[in-house]
Amino acid sequence: ELKVEQNPLFLSMQEGKNYTIYCNYSTTSDRLYWYRQDPGKSLESLFVLLSNGAVKQEGRLMASLDTKARLSTLHITAAVHDLSATYFCAVDRVKEYGNKLVFGAGTILRVKS
Amino acid sequence: DTEVTQTPKHLVMGMTNKKSLKCEQHMGHRAMYWYKQKAKKPPELMFVYSYEKLSINESVPSRFSPECPNSSLLNLHLHALQPEDSALYLCASSPKEYTRNSPLHFGNGTRLTVT
């Protein structure tokens, strides 16, 4: 059974600081996704990581994937208040199929002024 | 704005009621999904439809009945629900079931309360 673990589950950080969210998964997969969810809202796709060593960046967020370690990271650079949200990583459950995602528990990020 | 539209946004129903959740997308996607999300928890997959056929049922109780009338529409029929079924129900779509490069596109969800 595929398990996806995120840590930390809650992150309170000051504006301007850097931090990293970690996502570990238990079985082989080469597809990992990061989503953002604002309170009461839907999920917004941030990154799709499809191969070992993949790195993608958008603004102050950068995601990477190490399939050998079964680890993805979401790095936040110089945090701003607008980044406050819940961040989920998600992994495809079965390699032959797409989009049957198993989500991590989510990391609640609060950026303080 | 999301390209996957869900109605209603909020629904309150009693345990003896029958209601339906609706989901619509016009992106030409051929795979559609229902997820359930409890408060402060991640989404959990319920059903997957691929080319209008039920592809996956994640052992969901029969009081939830999905329907895919055509490639753009996905319904979730609700009957005899329990209070613990209260949650945010998210619909999502993707170009097709086996889509390596495309993430799911989620709707804004229906917040369901069962009284």
Side-chain angles (χ1 to χ4, degrees):
Chain A
E1 180 187 351
L2 173 60
K3 293 187 187 302
V4 181
E5 294 185 353
Q6 278 183 245
N7 70 84
L9 298 182
F10 182 78
L11 177 55
S12 179
M13 54 191 299
Q14 294 286 337
E15 276 191 330
K17 298 292 187 182
N18 304 333
Y19 210 86
T20 300
I21 299 171
Y22 297 89
C23 175
N24 290 91
Y25 53 97
S26 61
T27 63
T28 301
S29 176
D30 61 355
R31 280 176 290 202
L32 189 136
Y33 306 81
W34 284 96
Y35 286 87
R36 168 182 171 146
Q37 187 174 35
D38 291 294
K41 302 290 187 182
S42 188
L43 283 85
E44 173 192 357
S45 175
L46 294 175
F47 300 109
V48 180
L49 302 170
L50 298 175
S51 61
N52 187 41
V55 177
K56 291 196 174 179
Q57 182 161 6
E58 181 73 33
R60 300 175 187 274
L61 301 178
M62 183 174 71
S64 66
L65 178 62
D66 181 342
T67 58
K68 294 180 181 177
R70 299 177 185 167
L71 170 69
S72 178
T73 61
L74 181 66
H75 187 73
I76 303 152
T77 301
V80 293
H81 181 72
D82 286 351
L83 290 179
S84 297
T86 299
Y87 293 84
F88 292 99
C89 65
V91 179
D92 272 332
R93 180 179 58 189
V94 176
K95 190 174 172 132
E96 292 77 13
Y97 297 95
N99 306 117
K100 293 172 185 53
L101 299 178
V102 176
F103 284 82
T107 297
I108 300 173
L109 173 65
R110 293 289 176 262
V111 181
K112 299 184 291 186
S113 305
Chain B
D1 287 340
T2 180
E3 296 170 328
V4 178
T5 304
Q6 289 187 243
T7 56
K9 291 183 179 179
H10 301 274
L11 178 62
V12 179
M13 61 185 291
M15 289 189 284
T16 59
N17 291 158
K18 288 184 181 181
K19 296 286 184 184
S20 297
L21 310 184
K22 297 186 184 302
C23 175
E24 190 168 4
Q25 57 87 15
H26 294 288
M27 295 179 283
H29 288 178
R30 303 311 299 269
M32 296 185 77
Y33 309 76
W34 280 114
Y35 278 82
K36 173 181 177 179
Q37 187 178 23
K38 301 281 280 184
K40 301 188 187 301
K41 297 292 186 183
E44 294 179 346
L45 182 65
M46 299 175 71
F47 303 103
V48 181
Y49 271 83
S50 178
Y51 292 88
E52 295 109 71
K53 291 190 181 346
L54 184 64
S55 173
I56 288 185
N57 176 341
E58 289 285 287
S59 302
V60 178
S62 60
R63 57 186 184 268
F64 295 92
S65 175
E67 178 196 22
C68 190
N70 60 57
S71 60
S72 300
L73 294 174
L74 185 66
N75 298 322
L76 186 63
H77 302 297
L78 313 172
H79 174 54
L81 294 193
Q82 304 296 312
E84 58 265 29
D85 296 322
S86 299
L88 180 67
Y89 288 83
L90 292 162
C91 174
S93 69
S94 64
K96 54 184 178 180
E97 190 172 17
Y98 180 44
T99 304
R100 195 163 186 271
N101 296 324
S102 176
L104 296 185
H105 296 252
F106 283 89
N108 284 329
T110 293
R111 188 158 301 280
L112 174 67
T113 303
V114 182
T115 60

